Amino acid sequence: VTCNGNMPSTEEINLSTSVDDNGSTNDEEYSYYYEDDENEAVVDSAGNVDDTESTLLQEMWRRQQELEKADNEMKFKGYFKNVGGGTKKISEKIRVEDLYLDETYDCVSATEISHTAATPDVLNDPISVQIQQARLSMREKQELRMQQLKTRESLKKQPKPKFRLGASCERLYCAACTIVVTEFAKVVHVKYDDPSVTYIHQIADNFCSSNFDEVNNTTYNAMVADFCIQFNKEFLGYKDALMVPFELDEDLLNVLQPQSLHNKFNQICTSVGACERSFFEFSTEPANKFQSHWDDNCFVCQAFAENLQEQVQLNRYITEGNIIPIVAATCHRLNLPAPYDALCAPMTVGTLLDDIAWLGKVHVEAVLRKDKAEKGFADTVCEQIHYCVPWMDPLERQNEEAKQTMETAFE
C-alpha cells in the first residue's frame, strides 16, 4: 500500500475487519504495532510467554553490578601509598626544657620531684666513708660508729621532707604525645574500609581540629590538645613524622595491638623530641640504691603506677566510673615482655583493680589540691597492694633482722 507515492513507514497500519452477528463488516477498527514489539516475548502454541532471553539479560546485568561492586571494595580497602610522602625531614626537635611546662600547665618539674626525696642519704655519709677508708684503731672506729648512730637517730626524729605530688612535666608531655598517636591510630583503623579516605594524609589534615577542639575533646586536658597542634607544623617535619610510620605499616588492621602502638610511640614521639627513648624501655636493673631491694613484682608495679599516674593527670575529669577502664588498659599501654606481662595482669582485674582505681582517684584529687607527701604515687600504690616493700636503711634493716632473730630464739 502506498500513500502519495511514498513507501510505507516502519509503522504499518493493519485494518482489522470484524464481522457482526448479521454478517456485516466493520472496517473502522484498526490497531498499531511495531516490528520491534514482535521480539519482546515468544508465545508458544499453548499461549505461554517465554521470556528466557529477558531473564538472562537481567542476570548478566546483576552479575556485572556485583563484579563492579567487588572491584570498588578491593580498590578502596586500606590506603594507597603516598609515593612523595616522608620527604620533609625534622628540621628541629621540640625542646621540652624551653616550653616552661610548669608555668603553662601547673605541673612539677623533674628537678623538683623524686620518690627518694624524703629519705636521707645515710649510706654514703662522711662517717661511713671515713670508717671504710681510714686506717683507724678499733677504739677510733667504735667512737665513729657511735657518732654515726647518734646522727641517724637525730635524723629519724626530724620531720621528713615532703614534695609535691604528681608526675613530672616531662613525663606528662611525653604521655600526651602517646595519647595523640593512639587516637590517630584509632581513626586510621576506623577509616580503613572507608572508600572516601584513600590516603593517610586525608586523616592527618584535620585530625587535631576534629578530635581535640573545645567541642569534641571531652576526655583530655589542654596539654594533650596543645601537643596535637605540634603535628600541624608541616614545615618542621612533624606532620610527616606522624604519618610515615602508618604509611609504611603493612598491617594496619592490627594497628591498635600493643606492639604496633608501642613501636609507633617510640618512632614518633622520640623523633619529634617529646620523649626520651628510655621512657619506653622496661628494665629490672636498679637505677639507684633505693631500688636495690626491688624484685620483679616491684619493678612491674612501679612501671604500672607511673604510667597510670600520667594517664589520669592528662584526663579532664576522673570519676569512680571512668578510672576503671584506664587502670584496666595500663598493661596494654606498657606492652611489657611476656614474663613481666603475666605479673602485670593481676593488677587489672578483681580486687586489685578496684583498690588501684580508688587510690588513683584519691591521688588526682590530691594533685589538684597541690598536696605534698613523703612518698610518691608509685611507692604508695605498690606498698599498699604488697608488690613492693618500703626502703629501709641497710644498718637499720640488719638491726631489725637481728632483733627478730633474738625474739624467735627466746620464744
Side-chain angles (χ1 to χ4, degrees):
V1 178
T2 60
C3 181
N4 296 329
N6 296 325
M7 295 295 294
S9 63
T10 303
E11 178 180 345
E12 296 180 355
I13 302 178
N14 282 344
L15 297 178
S16 58
T17 304
S18 61
V19 181
D20 58 14
D21 295 336
N22 298 322
S24 60
T25 60
N26 185 4
D27 295 337
E28 293 180 358
E29 296 182 8
Y30 56 89
S31 63
Y32 292 92
Y33 72 90
Y34 295 87
E35 292 179 351
D36 293 340
D37 292 342
E38 292 181 342
N39 296 326
E40 286 185 356
V42 178
V43 182
D44 60 15
S45 59
N48 299 320
V49 178
D50 183 6
D51 57 351
T52 304
E53 185 176 353
S54 176
T55 303
L56 289 174
L57 289 173
Q58 292 178 5
E59 179 65 17
M60 290 175 61
W61 174 255
R62 184 186 64 79
R63 292 185 62 184
Q64 180 66 24
Q65 293 290 90
E66 290 180 353
L67 290 173
E68 290 180 1
K69 181 180 179 182
D71 183 62
N72 289 334
E73 289 178 351
M74 291 179 63
K75 180 180 179 181
F76 294 110
K77 194 176 183 64
Y79 302 93
F80 293 126
K81 299 298 181 184
N82 185 7
V83 179
T87 56
K88 185 65 178 178
K89 304 300 181 183
I90 295 176
S91 58
E92 181 181 354
K93 288 189 175 184
I94 299 171
R95 291 177 56 85
V96 177
E97 60 273 17
D98 295 340
L99 296 178
Y100 302 101
L101 297 175
D102 54 338
E103 298 178 10
T104 307
Y105 304 106
D106 193 27
C107 53
V108 185
S109 174
T111 57
E112 302 174 14
I113 186 171
S114 172
H115 74 285
T116 59
T119 308
D121 186 1
V122 295
L123 294 179
N124 296 318
D125 63 282
I127 297 178
S128 296
V129 175
Q130 188 176 357
I131 292 174
Q132 294 172 5
Q133 296 180 353
R135 293 183 177 180
L136 303 174
S137 65
M138 186 64 67
R139 182 183 294 275
E140 290 172 332
K141 288 182 178 181
Q142 187 65 26
E143 289 177 355
L144 286 173
R145 286 196 176 94
M146 292 300 295
Q147 182 181 348
Q148 186 183 44
L149 288 173
K150 290 180 180 179
T151 303
R152 293 184 178 185
E153 289 297 325
S154 63
L155 288 173
K156 289 181 183 179
K157 295 178 181 179
Q158 293 178 1
K160 292 183 178 180
K162 295 183 177 181
F163 54 90
R164 185 175 164 186
L165 291 172
S168 68
C169 298
E170 292 80 359
R171 292 300 298 252
L172 286 174
Y173 200 65
C174 176
C177 178
T178 64
I179 288 175
V180 173
V181 173
T182 301
E183 295 300 319
F184 187 78
K186 289 179 181 178
V187 179
V188 169
H189 188 265
V190 169
K191 299 291 185 181
Y192 187 82
D193 292 329
D194 189 342
S196 65
V197 181
T198 54
Y199 289 95
I200 297 291
H201 74 79
Q202 292 177 262
I203 299 174
D205 288 343
N206 61 351
F207 170 70
C208 293
S209 60
S210 301
N211 293 272
F212 294 104
D213 62 351
E214 294 182 358
V215 177
N216 295 315
N217 180 25
T218 59
T219 304
Y220 302 107
N221 66 12
M223 182 181 282
V224 180
D226 292 347
F227 184 85
C228 191
I229 298 175
Q230 296 281 3
F231 286 124
N232 289 336
K233 296 179 179 179
E234 189 169 358
F235 64 97
L236 290 177
Y238 298 164
K239 189 174 183 180
D240 273 0
L242 174 64
M243 293 188 300
V244 169
F246 289 92
E247 291 180 337
L248 298 179
D249 194 338
E250 299 292 340
D251 190 18
L252 288 177
L253 286 176
N254 293 313
V255 71
L256 297 179
Q257 293 302 311
Q259 187 61 52
S260 178
L261 282 176
H262 193 266
N263 290 341
K264 289 175 177 58
F265 295 161
N266 213 337
Q267 287 177 280
I268 298 169
C269 297
T270 57
S271 64
V272 300
C275 301
E276 297 178 15
R277 197 167 296 277
S278 60
F279 289 174
F280 303 110
E281 297 173 351
F282 175 76
S283 173
T284 56
E285 293 295 325
N288 52 57
K289 56 182 173 289
F290 300 102
Q291 299 179 5
S292 58
H293 68 293
W294 286 5
D295 59 7
D296 289 349
N297 276 319
C298 188
F299 277 108
V300 170
C301 183
Q302 291 280 335
F304 183 100
E306 291 290 350
N307 184 277
L308 176 61
Q309 176 179 230
E310 296 158 10
Q311 293 292 319
V312 295
Q313 282 189 237
L314 291 173
N315 268 254
R316 181 171 292 187
Y317 307 105
I318 289 295
T319 64
E320 294 182 21
N322 71 359
I323 195 174
I324 292 291
I326 298 176
V327 177
T330 304
C331 295
H332 185 282
R333 292 190 299 269
L334 288 174
N335 188 42
L336 298 173
Y340 305 105
D341 187 62
L343 299 177
C344 183
M347 290 185 282
T348 62
V349 294
T351 304
L352 284 181
L353 170 62
D354 295 335
D355 292 344
I356 295 172
W358 174 254
L359 290 172
K361 181 178 180 298
V362 172
H363 174 70
V364 171
E365 294 169 353
V367 171
L368 293 175
R369 293 193 302 265
K370 301 182 181 180
D371 288 356
K372 294 185 177 182
E374 297 174 358
K375 291 183 179 180
F377 177 68
D379 287 335
T380 301
V381 169
C382 297
E383 290 173 13
Q384 289 205 24
I385 66 174
H386 306 296
Y387 266 60
C388 293
V389 295
W391 182 88
M392 185 180 292
D393 175 16
L395 182 59
E396 185 177 348
R397 185 182 296 277
Q398 290 177 6
N399 294 337
E400 186 68 25
E401 291 175 354
K403 182 180 178 182
Q404 291 177 359
T405 303
M406 292 292 291
E407 290 176 354
T408 305
F410 287 98
E411 284 182 356

